[in-house]
Amino acid sequence: MSDWVIEPPELPSVSVAGGGRFPVRRIFCVGRNYAAHAREMGADPDREPPFFFSKPADAVISSDHVPFPTATRSLHFEMELVVAIGRGGQAIAIEQALEHVYGYAAGVDLTRRDLQDEAKLLRRPWDMSKGFDASAPIGLIVPTLQTGHPACGRISLSVDDAIKQDGTLEDMIWSVPEIIAFLSKLVALAPGDLIFTGTPDGVAAVERGARISGSIDGVGTVSFQLV
Ligand code: MN
């Protein structure tokens, strides 16, 4: 007999390449981590330490069909390298940071840009522009045994076969070890945490029906249609 007063929610998870499932505990995201994207968002990439926002764990979706969200007229894609944390820790040193990584995936940080613009203007939180249902489409998580620690591959995204984002991981302002070190000073990282590491330039609005396909060299792909 259990004490739950309602049915406990299903644990969000992501499939792992080669078999098994990765349980998702939390989703953290880095803002403006590529200089050209920071500039297209009207920010100065040179003077800003990394900053973070989050999405609920159950925002992950690995499906060929992703529901177009309510309450937006400007749904933007942001193609991102996702870090899957396999070992927790606090105030992790940069030199040890990669030992905490289980694997990597290709993911998309879907964003209600109109609500985010309004939130920025009114100095309100970003939650409803970033952390809505199904706002974190993600491909397979690939263990580091297969990927190593990608730091220089191509990261790209196309919409209906037209390339919209085409960057390289080398252009990240803050590297994966630096992000882990920084974030673990703010929260105790735990196994199951995902970190979306920011997007190259080229973000834009998409319509219902669009097919979004992203790829990161040496990591994998993410592909879905907005329905
Ligand atoms: Mn993003």
Side-chain angles (χ1 to χ4, degrees):
M1 285 291 285
S2 112
D3 272 345
W4 300 120
V5 296
I6 57 170
E7 195 64 32
E10 194 182 323
L11 185 63
S13 65
V14 179
S15 292
V16 173
R21 295 192 72 72
F22 181 91
V24 179
R25 185 167 189 268
R26 295 173 294 186
I27 304 173
F28 298 104
C29 306
V30 185
R32 295 193 281 261
N33 198 30
Y34 290 74
H37 172 65
R39 281 192 288 270
E40 77 180 350
M41 290 286 108
D44 178 350
D46 299 326
R47 285 182 301 171
E48 220 173 28
F51 70 93
F52 300 90
F53 58 92
S54 24
K55 295 175 186 264
D58 65 1
V60 287
I61 178 166
S62 300
S63 166
D64 195 54
H65 287 157
V66 168
F68 194 93
T70 60
T72 185
R73 292 179 165 189
S74 183
L75 180 69
H76 274 213
F77 50 81
E78 297 187 356
M79 180 63 202
E80 310 202 1
L81 173 70
V82 182
V83 179
I85 296 293
R87 184 147 66 84
Q90 265 182 299
I92 297 164
I94 289 176
E95 298 73 29
Q96 269 92 57
L98 294 179
E99 298 166 18
H100 294 258
V101 178
Y102 171 80
Y104 295 91
V108 179
D109 166 14
L110 287 177
T111 302
R112 286 166 166 152
R113 193 70 74 199
D114 44 358
L115 297 197
Q116 188 194 31
D117 288 345
E118 183 181 72
K120 286 176 178 173
L121 197 66
L122 299 175
R123 297 175 177 274
R124 286 178 181 165
W126 287 7
D127 301 47
M128 293 302 116
S129 64
K130 287 290 197 178
F132 51 91
D133 298 340
S135 58
I138 188 168
L140 295 175
I141 291 176
V142 186
T144 57
L145 284 172
Q146 292 168 53
T147 57
H149 294 283
C152 61
R154 181 185 184 211
I155 175 169
S156 62
L157 180 144
S158 62
V159 178
D160 297 329
D161 296 326
I163 294 276
K164 299 292 187 184
Q165 294 189 276
D166 196 355
T168 163
L169 299 178
E170 266 176 318
D171 291 337
M172 289 170 66
I173 296 170
W174 300 96
S175 68
V176 169
E178 289 170 329
I179 290 167
I180 290 171
F182 229 103
L183 180 57
S184 67
K185 291 192 181 99
L186 297 169
V187 294
L189 285 177
D193 289 339
L194 297 179
I195 308 172
F196 281 62
T197 59
T199 195
D201 61 322
V203 301
V206 273
E207 304 293 332
R208 193 186 304 268
R211 160 70 53 180
I212 294 178
S213 300
S215 175
I216 302 175
D217 279 359
V219 175
T221 59
V222 56
S223 180
F224 57 91
Q225 185 178 21
L226 287 164
V227 296

